[in-house]
Every structure is written in structure tokens, then in C-alpha cells.
Amino acid sequence: MTRMLILALFLFCSACSSMGPQTITNDQFNYNNAIANASREQMLSNLVRIRYAETPTFLRVSSVISQYTRGASASVGVGANTSASGDDTASASGRARWSDRPVITYTPITGQQFVQDLLTAPNPGRLLELMQAGWPVDLVIRTSILSVNGVDNSVTLPSRPSDADAEFFELFRLWAVLGANDLLQLRRAPSDEGTRLLLYVDPGPHPELDADLRQFREILELDPEISEFEIVFGKAPRPDEIAILTASLWDTMTNMAWQLPVPPEHITSGRTGRTFTSAHPNYETPIDVRFSKDKPDDAYATVYAQNYWFYIDQNDLKSKRVFTFLELMMNMTEGNVAAQAPLMTISN
């Protein structure tokens, strides 16, 4: 009888205890991890879709609500038998309830504003500030800049593929070296339209880099008598300007997509076009996406499409870094986009 009373008391106390604080750590980590994995797979899936001339689709997790319910009930019964040969009786029963009901809301990222943001090239100053903040120069220039003072990057579109100018690869090498030694510095100056972003080119206390600085000026055809150049968008600079033609998120994704390797039979059958390859000896594909009939065991991102598994290897640091930058650009584009109907909510 004592054991039954203890069981009933345990069930009652368990039902009354608080469970909310105990779930925060696990829930926050698990949901965060799941959303991050889904975001990577969605981006990879859209790259593959573009590679096969299909329309990309973006879906965002707009809210996650996790509801828990716990309860318990217990009863104890005692009976006395008055007969001479009967025994006294006792009974106890208990029941515990537990439920987890997550509510997850998905929002399609659509609408005129999103399309406009997807096709709008970013301000070149924003990309230069990313470089100054520590993002690798070759990564930013290679993936997000189409031209600097008329020195062109490669274009992988099937309708007009073109290779990069030979000076383009030397340009971001020089930019990285000179920037790391503070020979290229950004500053903002007031103007009638607001502020101007200026690139200050100064040899400073580094005479050993004079040759690199001179080559940098020659590639961009900069006036040797001018030390400050305004950063502007476009291809045709004035003598005191550096004109940078940036790539929209759509341009960046398309250029990456048409460099993805695909099964040869998909090209011969006409399911997709030829993979873009560069003739320049220093050229490297920005992201290495592989394909396989079998699902890879350990991959950074994996999607199943066109009867194959497309994936990024977990040990491919270069591709992971480029992929992270692409997701960053996606988040920057998506930042001001309002939620669009319809909403899809999944409740369990």
C-alpha cells in the first residue's frame, strides 16, 4: 500500500513540475540546425534547377511554435472484507500523458518586390565593404563582380558565354595584396546626393609593392596623378572614377549553375546544355558540386534531382565558403521582402 501511495504522489508531482526551461536548449539547437540544413539544400536545389533550365523556388520558415503538454492522474482504493475467510483489498492506478505539437509556418518568397531584388545588382560599395570586413577578395570579385573599369569576368550563360579577360585574375590578386597592406583604403565623403564611396590608392611605407601598385593602376587605366577614385556602378568610368559592374543574385546563381558538372547523358539527350569551362589556366570553378547515383554518406548539402544525387563534399572548404557567401547574398536580398500569401502551416 505504501508503494502505491508513493507512485501516486510521484505522478502528481511530475505533472505539476515546470518543463518549459528544460526544452529551450534542445529545441533551439535542433530547430536551428534543421533550418540551416534545409536552407543549404534549398539553395543547392535551386542551382540544380537553373542548370536544367527550371524555375527556382524559395520557401522560408517564417515561424516555429513548439507546444508541449504533460499531465498525470492517480487513484488509490482500499477495501475491507468482513467475512471470516476474506482478505482485505487495495488497488492503485495511474496514467501519464505527454504530447509535443510543433507548429511550423512556411512562407513562399514571391512577388514583384522579390523578383526586383533578385534581378537588381547590388551597390558596388557594399561588396567592397565586405572585402574590407575580411571576406576574401577573390571570392567576392570572382562571384559577384562582372567588370571593373572594363576588365571583364567570365559569363556562363548558354546564350552568350564568354571567357574572362586575362587581366581579371591578376586584378583580384593585386587587390588582395594591396588591400592587405593598406595601400587600398575605403572612405566615405559627403556629397549633394548623400555620401560618396572613395577608394584611396596610396603607396605609403611599402616601396617593395610599388611594382604591384603600378600594375594595378595600369590594368584599371587609372590616372597616375590621382590618388582618390570614386566607386560608381557601371562599365564606363570617368578619369577620377572606378566603375564596377556588379552581378545580381540571379546573375551570380546562373553563372554558378552553368558550371556545375552533370551526367553526360543529360547533355547528349538535350535535357540540359553544355557545361561552361574556361580556357584560362588560372581559372577555377567557384563551387564543386558532384553527382552520384548513390546517396553520399557525409555531405555538406545534398539534393536528389534528375535521378541523381547532387552534393557538396563536407571536406571541400572552398566550395563551402562560396556556398556560405551565396547564402549571405540571398539573405541580403531577402531582407526587405514582406511575407507573401499563401502560407503553409504544418501542425502535428
Side-chain angles (χ1 to χ4, degrees):
M1 187 64 186
T2 301
R3 293 178 179 176
M4 294 178 183
L5 290 174
I6 293 175
L7 174 61
L9 181 62
F10 173 77
L11 291 173
F12 179 77
C13 293
S14 298
C16 295
S17 63
S18 175
M19 55 185 283
Q22 305 172 25
T23 64
I24 291 178
T25 302
N26 289 336
D27 282 359
Q28 185 172 1
F29 175 81
N30 292 335
Y31 280 118
N32 182 282
N33 193 45
I35 291 173
N37 291 337
S39 177
R40 291 198 299 265
E41 292 179 357
Q42 176 175 247
M43 181 62 72
L44 179 57
S45 176
N46 282 322
L47 287 177
V48 175
R49 286 173 179 169
I50 294 174
R51 181 67 175 84
Y52 284 86
E54 298 176 354
T55 304
T57 302
F58 295 93
L59 198 65
R60 176 180 57 191
V61 177
S62 57
S63 68
V64 178
I65 302 174
S66 192
Q67 300 177 354
Y68 295 95
T69 303
R70 182 168 63 181
S73 62
S75 63
V76 177
V78 179
N81 195 315
T82 58
S83 65
S85 59
D87 295 326
D88 293 339
T89 60
S91 64
S93 64
R95 183 178 63 176
R97 301 186 308 276
W98 167 270
S99 64
D100 177 10
R101 301 179 60 189
V103 179
I104 304 174
T105 302
Y106 299 90
T107 305
I109 307 176
T110 58
Q112 180 178 353
Q113 184 61 48
F114 174 69
V115 173
Q116 180 178 337
D117 291 340
L118 190 67
L119 299 177
T120 300
N123 187 304
R126 179 185 297 181
L127 298 179
L128 295 188
E129 288 170 344
L130 285 175
M131 290 158 51
Q132 184 163 287
W135 280 92
V137 173
D138 61 332
L139 168 61
V140 177
I141 294 181
R142 189 194 299 264
T143 60
S144 302
I145 292 180
L146 299 175
S147 174
V148 183
N149 272 19
V151 182
D152 294 331
N153 194 358
S154 58
V155 176
T156 67
L157 297 177
S159 58
R160 52 181 182 90
S162 61
D163 215 340
D165 294 336
E167 298 87 355
F168 190 81
F169 301 96
E170 184 65 12
L171 175 62
F172 58 70
R173 184 195 71 81
L174 293 170
W175 203 310
V177 171
L178 298 175
N181 290 276
D182 295 328
L183 272 66
L184 303 178
Q185 301 179 27
L186 294 175
R187 76 177 186 90
R188 291 194 176 274
S191 67
D192 296 337
E193 294 79 17
T195 60
R196 300 184 304 154
L197 185 65
L198 303 175
L199 182 68
Y200 185 65
V201 182
D202 181 24
H206 295 284
E208 71 277 7
L209 297 177
D210 284 350
D212 286 338
L213 188 61
R214 184 167 52 253
Q215 186 181 6
F216 179 81
R217 285 180 173 272
E218 290 174 355
I219 291 176
L220 297 182
E221 299 182 353
L222 301 180
D223 189 336
E225 302 299 324
I226 301 177
S227 59
E228 270 191 339
F229 300 89
E230 182 177 1
I231 303 298
V232 298
F233 176 85
K235 290 195 68 171
R238 295 175 180 176
D240 60 344
E241 293 177 341
I242 295 179
I244 299 178
L245 185 63
T246 57
S248 67
L249 179 61
W250 175 257
D251 291 331
T252 301
M253 293 181 65
T254 302
N255 277 334
M256 286 189 184
W258 283 100
Q259 298 178 71
L260 304 185
V262 295
E265 64 269 21
H266 290 179
I267 297 177
T268 56
S269 66
R271 182 177 295 195
T272 185
R274 179 180 60 87
T275 303
F276 175 85
T277 54
S278 173
H280 198 282
N282 293 335
Y283 184 84
E284 296 179 359
T285 55
I287 186 169
D288 181 18
V289 175
R290 307 176 184 181
F291 61 88
S292 171
K293 276 291 187 181
D294 300 321
K295 185 177 181 179
D297 295 331
D298 184 23
Y300 175 71
T302 308
V303 295
Y304 186 74
Q306 307 295 332
N307 301 320
Y308 278 86
W309 289 98
F310 291 85
Y311 65 97
I312 298 174
D313 190 84
Q314 188 68 258
N315 298 320
D316 186 354
L317 182 60
K318 179 180 76 72
S319 294
K320 290 166 62 175
R321 186 182 63 176
V322 174
F323 205 74
T324 299
F325 180 74
L326 185 60
E327 290 185 290
L328 172 65
M329 298 301 295
M330 176 65 197
N331 291 332
M332 292 171 60
T333 299
E334 183 189 341
N336 296 323
V337 179
Q340 302 288 332
L343 301 179
M344 178 172 63
T345 301
I346 296 179
S347 176
N348 185 16

